[in-house]
Structures are given as C-alpha cells and as structure tokens.
C-alpha cells in the first residue's frame, strides 16, 4: 500500500486521535484553547502506561533512584535561583499589521523586493502618520500588492484614505524581518518570558506573584537534602519525578508536540565531581578509553561516562516500549547550542511525520542548580561522602522527557494502514495501531462470537472477569466479529479473545474451555485453554 504523504499522514493521525478518543482539543465546545489538549479514554490509558513504564524502569527496578511528587506552585525565589525569571524566554516578534506573534527563530528566511514608506497622509492632507513601514513581496510580483498592505497599515493608524509617502524599494535576501503570511514588517525581536504567572493568596499584588512550574526538575533540587536524609541513598544516586509543567509557548504547534500544559518525566542523577573521582580512583575514565560496558557503572566514572550511560539507558528504554533505534536520532548539541548551565547535552530525537524533533534531552548540568539554591536559600547543599572522606556539592546528569511528546511519538509510530480479510475472506484496507503491548491502552478484547446466544455471552463475560484483575480488558458483543476486530485494530489492542461454540464443548471435550486468541499484527489465531490465558497474556504484555 502506498505510504501517505507527510501532511496527509498527520491529518489522518489527528483525525484518528479524535475519532477513537486518544486526544481532543481542550474546551472544544467553546472553540478550543490554543496549546491545550485533553486525553480521551484511550489516550488517558496510553499516558498512564507510559508513565508507569518510565517510573518502573527509573525507580522500582533500580537500587539507586527514588521518587518525588512535589507541588506545581513553589516559592518564587526558586525561579530566580534557577535563572528562569531572568532567562527563560524566547525572542518573539509581532506583525505590525495583524499583531500576530511569532517566535523569532521560527520565521523562515525570505528573499524578495521590499517597499519602504516614510509615512502617509490622508486624502486631503489634513492628517498624517509618520510611522515608517515596509512590505516584502516576491520579486516580480505587482507593486500594488505591497501598496495595498501598506495602506491597510496606515488605515489601522486612523487614516481613512492613505496616500503613501516616499516609496523606495530594495532587493533583500534571506531576511527574517517580515511576516511570511502577508509580507508586513515585524517588530524588532524582544524577549518574552515563558512562565505562566498567578497570584497566591487573596491579594493580587506584585508580592504575591507565583509561577506554574515550567519544569519539574527544580523541585528535585530544592528537596535534595530532605530526600537524601530519608532515603539513605549515597552519591551516586538519583531522584525522579513525573508531573505537569507549564510554558506560555509563543507558537504552540504540531498537534500536541509543543503545548502550553504538558507532563514531564525527569531524573536528576547526582554524581561525584570529577576531582573527587580522580582522588578516589586515581584517574577519571574518559569516553575515549576502551570501556568494558557502558551499562555497568564504575567507580572511575566522571560526568562524561555517566552522561553516556544515561543516554544509552534512555535509548534502550525507548526500544523497550516499541520505538526502534531506526526511529530515533542521538543528537549531541554543539557548544554554541548548550544552555548556560550545561557541560554537554544529548537530545534524543524522534522521526515525527512533521520532522525529526526532540523527545528528550539528557544534560550534564554540573553543580549549577544545587549551588544556585545554596546561594539563594542560604542552606547548605553540600554532601559528606563517607567513602571519599570529602564534602562537596554533587554534580548532576538530567534525563528529561515529555510524556505528551512521547505519547504523540508512539501514536505516530503505531499508525499503519494495511490489508485484512473481511468476513468473506475478501481483502479490505484497515487502519491498525501497532502499539507495543507494554503501552497499548487496552491489552485484550473479549468477544462472544454471537450476541444472541446467551451461553456464549455468559462464558465471554466469565473470561472478561477472569482477565480484568490483571490487565485492561474491553468487552464487545456488538456487530459482526470482523468489524469488532477492526475497531480493536484501530484502538491498538494487541490481543483478541473470541468465545465460540467450541468453547462451549459443542465440537467435543477436547476443545471445551478453549478460546481463539487473535494477534493484532499477524492476524493469526491460536487455540488456547482458558486456564492458561492469564499467564500467557501477562508474559506477552510485560
Ligand atoms: N529540566 C530540563 C528541561 O525542562 P527541556 O528540554 O526544556 O528541558 C524537557 O524539556 C522535555 O520536556 C522535552 O524534551 C520535551 O519532551 C518536553 N517539553 C518541553 N517543552 C514542551 C512543550 N512545550 N510541549 C510538550 N512537551 C514539552
């Protein structure tokens, strides 16, 4: 079957998300709210599964990571210490004509003829506007187009019938100073802080301003000491958290990819500074040394090796939930791209239909955050390392992933159109969401072959109740069995169990209490004993 084109594919995915209840536009009946999304029944299950898999692999299956669940609104000083109050901003530009706002770095460079005006006066010359303005149009396009846009600009400034003053033209190459949608000049870029503000308490005063956290990480740093004391961990160890984060993004886009409210899954992994490792181990292992295995932490590891270790861990995890290495790109940020606190950052990118884009960032943050909080709070963030007999502020490796971006990546990765036989064996096209069973919203669907046979319905409900304590089950008796399979294929349910007359023993005792187990991807069916179903399915979905 021919692959759908990129834009077309994304349209199909967005439409399936709504139709099947993965993702809805927030506040849809009021026209929606840009940058906010709601997850329907299947989407909510998918997100829960993502978070559970992450939590399990990051904390429960490890000795050296514990969890935290902190408040969304925290002391505003935290954001001063972290640098968010002063530097967490994007450069934005406004269209001088429509006031539409863009991120400056998202304006595509354009070339063409720019028409400049020093101002305009109205028809009788009684009114004037001295604001300079310019319009960019494609070379060769009629000048009247530029003049029309310029007249609109001066009309907005109160001139009824503007006569344009001192028209001059210039050929421009690769400029980002004009609105690509209408050619109007943009404002100079200015910083726009992305934190969402609110007031805590009954008085809306400057003293009561607080912020909805723009990342979950800072709570981990400020709770470093408390968590260390109660968890009896020793460096190297980590604290992780899953939770909501908010950013007043200038241009939310690509469906849920860049939202204003989203969830993060972050780990802050605290390690010894390289000087301490050097003292203890005699030398600090380097990335260029031959390594026994990056999966096996060593006392000689400094930040470089720990960083590489977490990159590997995270890529392996993505593979374990169905994103193959061929769908991912490991991007090492260049020096000039690094955030002010980072010694190195690796972005794990996913090949979305709209481009290869970031899923997760893994940053080596040094001791920046703990040192800042020590300075701003006046509380020591030092750790006494018994083994090293040294006191220091630990350094940090931070793998930081987005739940919503990952949900979108899994949905894009799962979407597939292929052919399946209908009731009469004729091939028809089907949409199938090939989720890895670990993250699939529903693990198994249970169907009585026919709805109007009470014995089949009764037995199917018994099987449903047998499976329910162990996994998410969907029971469906409505419509032809082929149609029911198709519905579950679209929901991404990896297994289907059908209760038929053989189950009831009508073909002899050998098949009694057996069911057919259908595999979503191969569409193959096998005969399985009911009393073996739970263990067989658990093995396949874990
Ligand atoms: N503590 C580090 C930090 O927050 P980040 O690269 O800004 O780093 C980490 O964010 C991850 O959070 C991103 O890789 C992405 O998955 C997710 N994320 C960030 N901004 C987002 C947005 N506006 N919408 C959806 N997910 C976002």
């Amino acid at each position: 079957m021919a692959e759908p084109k990129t834009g077309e594919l994304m349209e199909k995915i967005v439409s399936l998300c709504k139709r099947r209840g993965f993702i809805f536009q927030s506040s849809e009946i009021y026209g929606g709210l840009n940058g906010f999304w709601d997850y329907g029944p299947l989407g909510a299950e998918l997100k829960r599964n993502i978070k559970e898999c992450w939590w399990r692999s990051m904390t429960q299956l490890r000795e050296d990571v514990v969890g935290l669940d902190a408040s969304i609104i925290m002391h505003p000083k935290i954001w001063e210490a972290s640098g968010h109050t002063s530097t967490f901003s994007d450069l934005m530009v406004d269209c001088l004509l429509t006031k539409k706002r863009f991120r400056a770095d998202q304006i595509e460079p354009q070339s063409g003829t720019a028409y400049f005006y020093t101002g305009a006066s109205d028809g009788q010359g009684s009114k004037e506007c001295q604001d300079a303005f310019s319009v960019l149009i494609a070379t060769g396009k009629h000048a009247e187009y530029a003049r029309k846009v310029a007249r609109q600009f001066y009309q907005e400034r109160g001139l009824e019938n503007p006569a344009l003053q001192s028209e001059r033209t210039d050929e421009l190459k690769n400029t980002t100073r004009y609105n690509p949608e209408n050619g109007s000049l943009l404002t100079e870029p200015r910083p726009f802080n992305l934190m969402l503000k609110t007031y805590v308490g009954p008085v809306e005063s400057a003293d009561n301003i607080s912020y909805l956290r723009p990342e979950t990480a800072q709570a981990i740093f400020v709770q470093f000491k408390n968590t260390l004391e109660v968890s009896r961990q020793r460096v190297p160890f980590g604290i992780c958290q899953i939770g909501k984060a908010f950013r007043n993004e200038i241009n939310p886009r690509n469906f849920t990819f860049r939202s204003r409210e989203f969830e993060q899954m972050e780990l802050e992994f605290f390690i010894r500074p390289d000087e301490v490792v050097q003292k203890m181990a005699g030398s600090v292992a380097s990335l260029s040394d031959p390594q026994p295995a990056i999966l096996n932490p060593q006392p000689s590891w400094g930040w470089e090796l720990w960083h590489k270790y977490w990159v590997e861990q995270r890529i392996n995890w993505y593979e374990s939930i169905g994103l193959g290495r061929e769908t991912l790109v490991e991007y090492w940020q260049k020096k000039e791209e690094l955030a002010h606190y980072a010694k190195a950052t690796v972005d794990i990118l996913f090949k979305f239909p709209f481009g290869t884009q970031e899923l997760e960032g893994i940053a080596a943050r040094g001791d920046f955050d703990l040192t800042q909080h020590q300075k701003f709070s006046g509380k020591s963030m030092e750790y006494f390392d018994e083994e090293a007999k040294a006191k220091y502020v630990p350094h940090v490796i931070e793998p930081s992933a987005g739940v919503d971006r990952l949900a979108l990546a899994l949905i894009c990765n799962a979407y597939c159109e292929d052919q399946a036989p209908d009731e009469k064996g004729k091939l028809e096209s089907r949409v199938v969401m090939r989720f890895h069973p670990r993250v699939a919203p529903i693990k198994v669907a249970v169907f009585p072959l026919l709805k109007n046979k009470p014995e089949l319905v009764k037995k199917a409900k018994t099987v449903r109740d047998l499976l329910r304590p162990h996994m998410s089950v969907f029971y469906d008796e409505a419509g032809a069995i082929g149609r029911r399979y198709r519905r579950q294929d679209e929901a991404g349910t990896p297994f289907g169990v059908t209760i038929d007359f053989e189950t009831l023993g009508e073909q002899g005792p050998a098949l009694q209490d057996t069911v057919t187990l259908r595999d979503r991807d191969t569409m193959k069916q096998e005969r399985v004993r009911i009393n073996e179903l739970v263990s067989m399915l658990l093995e396949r979905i874990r």
Side-chain angles (χ1 to χ4, degrees):
M1 185 167 271
E3 292 280 317
K5 291 202 194 86
T6 301
E8 198 186 310
L9 174 61
M10 217 39 225
E11 265 173 41
K12 286 181 174 183
I13 289 173
V14 172
S15 139
L16 176 121
C17 280
K18 174 160 188 202
R19 180 161 43 86
R20 293 313 315 257
F22 282 98
I23 302 173
F24 305 128
Q25 195 183 16
S26 162
S27 326
E28 193 191 87
I29 59 167
Y30 290 98
L33 188 60
N34 197 7
F36 296 88
W37 300 95
D38 296 340
Y39 289 80
L42 292 179
E45 289 288 341
L46 176 65
K47 268 183 91 176
R48 282 180 70 91
N49 293 343
I50 291 171
K51 289 187 277 183
E52 266 170 39
C53 281
W54 185 90
W55 191 260
R56 199 166 154 65
S57 97
M58 288 305 225
T59 67
Q60 295 168 347
L61 293 176
R62 298 184 65 102
E63 286 287 304
D64 56 358
V65 179
V66 292
L68 180 74
D69 190 349
S71 63
I72 286 173
I73 295 178
M74 300 186 288
H75 199 292
K77 269 241 146 109
I78 289 175
W79 307 113
E80 279 176 43
S82 66
H84 282 82
T85 315
S86 54
T87 61
F88 191 57
S89 50
D90 278 339
L91 287 178
M92 54 103 192
V93 286
D94 294 329
C95 172
L96 282 173
L97 186 64
T98 61
K99 309 277 183 293
K100 189 168 169 184
R101 186 159 282 185
F102 300 90
R103 252 174 67 173
D105 64 347
Q106 287 175 355
I107 304 283
E108 289 292 328
Q110 306 158 79
S111 301
T113 311
Y115 284 73
F116 295 88
Y117 303 96
T118 53
S121 55
D122 75 7
Q124 291 78 43
S126 56
K127 243 176 157 186
E128 263 198 340
C129 172
Q130 294 299 328
D131 295 351
F133 183 63
S134 64
V135 185
L136 184 78
I137 62 172
T139 304
K141 201 170 171 182
H142 203 286
E144 204 39 47
Y145 177 78
R147 292 176 192 140
K148 192 170 149 209
V149 174
R151 274 189 222 104
Q152 280 171 7
F153 171 81
Y154 290 109
Q155 273 164 353
E156 291 287 319
R157 275 147 191 81
L159 302 186
E160 235 169 76
N161 191 15
L164 303 169
Q165 293 174 347
S166 319
E167 181 178 281
R168 154 179 93 76
T169 63
D170 197 2
E171 290 302 308
L172 299 185
K173 284 219 156 34
N174 296 325
T175 172
T176 51
R177 297 288 301 116
Y178 294 87
N179 181 350
E181 292 167 6
N182 60 12
S184 160
L185 183 67
L186 299 163
T187 57
E188 288 295 329
R190 30 176 213 274
F192 171 76
N193 194 295
L194 300 183
M195 284 200 293
L196 277 152
K197 265 188 210 157
T198 186
Y199 297 94
V200 170
V203 183
E204 289 193 10
S205 73
D207 289 344
N208 291 342
I209 288 179
S210 288
Y211 301 95
L212 304 189
R213 66 182 175 201
E215 62 171 20
T216 58
Q218 293 306 321
I220 298 180
F221 296 123
V222 299
Q223 291 295 0
F224 165 70
K225 273 294 179 88
N226 277 337
T227 313
L228 176 69
E229 265 162 38
V230 298
S231 61
R232 303 181 62 191
Q233 290 283 347
R234 289 180 181 168
V235 172
F237 84 102
I239 305 174
C240 71
Q241 165 160 238
I242 299 179
K244 289 269 187 184
F246 302 82
R247 296 182 188 178
N248 200 4
E249 298 283 358
I250 298 170
N251 277 340
R253 59 184 194 167
N254 286 332
F255 199 19
T256 57
F257 179 82
R258 191 177 302 287
S259 308
R260 290 180 165 139
E261 174 177 340
F262 55 96
E263 274 184 287
Q264 288 187 315
M265 306 184 285
E266 298 200 293
L267 166 69
E268 306 304 326
F269 195 79
F270 301 98
I271 56 172
R272 293 180 171 124
D274 278 10
E275 310 83 79
V276 176
V277 175
Q278 168 85 39
K279 242 166 100 189
M280 288 181 73
S283 65
V284 181
S286 132
L287 269 181
S288 52
D289 297 344
Q291 294 303 320
I294 197 70
L295 298 173
N296 199 5
Q298 302 294 320
S300 62
W301 281 10
W303 71 266
E304 274 194 322
L305 267 291
W306 274 114
H307 185 227
K308 179 76 181 142
Y309 164 84
W310 277 109
V311 173
E312 283 302 309
Q313 290 289 310
R314 300 300 304 135
I315 292 177
N316 289 346
W317 182 75
Y318 284 114
E319 278 193 295
S320 77
I321 56 166
L323 297 184
R325 272 191 190 232
E326 72 289 354
T327 67
L328 302 173
V329 172
E330 184 182 319
Y331 176 75
W332 288 72
Q333 285 190 9
K334 299 190 191 85
K335 256 209 163 77
E336 62 274 18
E337 293 171 315
L338 292 175
H340 57 284
Y341 51 75
K343 291 178 169 182
T345 298
V346 170
D347 290 334
I348 299 178
L349 315 178
F350 174 75
K351 294 175 187 167
F352 286 98
F354 45 82
T356 301
Q357 303 263 4
E358 180 186 329
L359 258 193
E360 165 159 357
I362 301 158
R365 296 178 76 116
D367 61 358
F368 173 81
D369 302 272
L370 288 182
T371 305
Q372 283 293 99
H373 288 302
Q374 180 166 276
K375 199 160 113 193
F376 277 70
S377 70
K379 303 277 172 358
S380 166
M381 289 292 163
E382 282 185 323
Y383 166 80
F384 181 70
D385 190 323
E386 307 255 357
E387 221 183 316
K389 301 275 176 281
K391 217 176 188 193
Y392 54 81
V393 174
H395 286 221
V396 169
I397 307 293
E398 180 201 62
S400 169
V403 181
D404 309 75
R405 268 193 203 173
L406 178 51
L408 183 59
L410 290 169
I411 287 171
C412 294
N413 189 59
Y415 185 92
C416 180
E417 292 174 14
D418 68 4
Q419 303 248 299
D422 68 6
E423 313 287 272
K424 299 183 184 96
K426 196 171 140 245
L427 282 184
E428 58 176 13
S429 58
R430 71 165 179 164
V431 170
V432 53
M433 296 296 283
R434 296 185 193 274
F435 289 119
H436 190 290
R438 283 199 182 106
V439 290
I442 302 166
K443 308 299 182 198
V444 60
V446 176
F447 315 110
L449 184 63
L450 298 170
K451 181 185 173 180
N452 56 5
K453 295 283 175 215
E455 320 84 280
L456 288 177
V457 169
K458 188 166 170 230
K459 192 74 177 173
K461 287 187 174 166
T462 311
V463 172
R464 173 198 67 187
D465 294 343
L466 173 80
L467 297 174
R468 235 176 209 168
H470 306 279
M471 62 198 79
S472 55
V473 183
F474 190 82
Y475 174 81
D476 189 3
E477 56 182 31
I481 191 74
R483 288 242 303 283
R484 283 182 268 166
Y485 285 155
R486 280 312 153 268
R487 285 202 288 264
Q488 290 309 311
D489 290 342
E490 267 198 345
T493 307
F495 303 106
V497 167
T498 306
I499 284 75
D500 53 20
F501 293 106
E502 281 91 333
T503 318
L504 303 179
E506 292 192 8
Q507 303 295 320
L511 293 181
Q512 188 166 6
D513 283 330
T514 65
V515 291
T516 61
L517 179 64
R518 174 186 182 265
D519 180 286
R520 172 198 67 201
D521 298 339
T522 62
M523 291 179 276
K524 290 213 173 96
Q525 305 201 1
E526 58 186 313
R527 203 85 211 164
V528 174
R529 302 210 68 77
I530 290 177
N531 60 13
E532 289 168 7
L533 256 185
V534 170
S535 59
M536 185 180 268
L537 286 172
L538 282 179
E539 200 174 300
R540 293 182 192 184
I541 64 176
R542 278 196 175 148

